[in-house]
Amino acid sequence: MGAGHAHKLYRHGHSPVHALPPHCKLAAVFCFVVVVVSTPREAIWAFGLYAVLLAAVAVVARIPAGFLLRRMLIEVPFVAFAVLMPFVVPGDHVRFLGLSLSVPGLWGAWNVLAKGTLGVAASVILASTTELRSLLLGLQQLRLPPMLVQIASFMIRYGDVITDEMRRMSIARRSRGFEARGVRHWGVLAKSAGALFIRSYERGERVHLAMVSRGYAGTMPVIDKVSASGAQWTYAAALPLSALTVCLFGWFL
């Protein structure tokens, strides 16, 4: 089962983390995120230890801090949402630097920022050490519904194709003197979006017919069979088990 070329998030390397089977890493990250989400927000020290665990994994994987931080900028919209919470959530208020801030809003903002940042960091580390094709094989190995795996595969494979189509349409508009400067140009952009949808839909039909003509019957052939040893599962489980230990301390302290 193919899934295209390496993506921009992937960082080629030969670290122990890179060498782990993809389904081991997927299971480890999923369990780690579940533990992080289950941690009470008041256990601030626990989130600090989670960050230390992820930093240790990044060091073992030889992922530079700058590379990791730049890829984590994807969470900026969540940061903006969290910043607004102390101003809009009702409840008791405290004053800080002349501002009246909601106490429940501050806790909610902290909860979103801490857990969201750790989840994004874990996902970026996973994507940085695992090729997309391997991730799909790992999902298949974990017995994810085959249809979902196929949808993800096609989304990854043709995402760049659709992006290139958008770029060509943008170049064509600019070559004809078009510049979107206000609301009055939204109609042109809407028509472009409609044309892109129609082209994508027609491309999907052509691809499906081509697959059916080559024997496609609802399932994709599995070319590579990925397996994991007990030692590899143990190595991958180190992250979620360490986080679980911290979480249990957070609940009982």
Side-chain angles (χ1 to χ4, degrees):
M1 185 177 103
H5 50 78
H7 57 96
K8 296 178 181 179
L9 283 177
Y10 179 70
R11 181 179 177 84
H12 183 74
H14 300 284
S15 71
V17 180
H18 284 79
L20 280 176
H23 52 292
C24 293
K25 288 185 277 189
L26 282 166
V29 169
F30 175 77
C31 293
F32 174 79
V33 171
V34 169
V35 171
V36 169
V37 172
S38 303
T39 304
R41 63 187 184 183
E42 292 80 9
I44 298 177
W45 58 272
F47 296 104
L49 290 179
Y50 294 152
V52 171
L53 288 175
L54 287 180
V57 174
V59 169
V60 173
R62 303 187 184 99
I63 301 175
F67 179 91
L68 183 61
L69 293 175
R70 285 195 301 272
R71 299 310 186 269
M72 289 178 61
L73 290 177
I74 192 174
E75 73 161 337
V76 168
F78 298 98
V79 173
F81 171 75
V83 169
L84 292 176
M85 293 182 68
F87 299 97
V88 299
V89 176
D92 296 334
H93 283 69
V94 296
R95 297 197 66 83
F96 180 74
L97 297 179
L99 299 174
S100 180
L101 304 176
S102 164
V103 174
L106 287 171
W107 278 115
W110 159 252
N111 195 47
V112 171
L113 283 175
K115 296 180 180 180
T117 300
L118 290 169
V120 170
S123 301
V124 171
I125 291 174
L126 173 65
S128 300
T129 57
T130 316
E131 292 183 348
L132 281 175
R133 178 175 176 277
S134 298
L135 282 175
L136 294 173
L137 289 172
L139 292 173
Q140 200 169 51
Q141 194 73 13
L142 292 173
R143 301 294 188 270
L144 199 73
M147 185 58 67
L148 293 180
V149 177
Q150 290 180 49
I151 291 173
S153 174
F154 289 125
M155 180 186 70
I156 293 168
R157 181 183 294 276
Y158 290 101
D160 290 340
V161 176
I162 303 302
T163 302
D164 289 340
E165 191 76 27
M166 290 176 57
R167 181 179 56 80
R168 287 194 293 269
M169 293 173 68
S170 177
I171 293 174
R173 289 195 303 269
R174 291 199 303 270
S175 67
R176 290 164 175 79
F178 174 80
E179 289 290 341
R181 294 193 179 92
V183 178
R184 60 194 180 94
H185 292 128
W186 285 7
V188 177
L189 297 178
K191 291 177 182 177
S192 298
L196 179 64
F197 173 79
I198 293 173
R199 291 185 184 182
S200 302
Y201 183 81
E202 291 177 343
R203 184 190 298 273
E205 285 190 325
R206 293 195 300 271
V207 170
H208 180 258
L209 290 175
M211 292 171 60
V212 170
S213 68
R214 289 164 174 79
Y216 175 74
T219 58
M220 297 291 287
V222 178
I223 299 176
D224 298 329
K225 192 72 172 180
V226 183
S227 60
S229 64
Q232 288 174 320
W233 276 111
T234 302
Y235 188 71
L239 174 65
L241 288 179
S242 300
L244 179 61
T245 303
V246 174
C247 179
L248 292 176
F249 273 110
W251 277 107
F252 291 112
L253 288 182

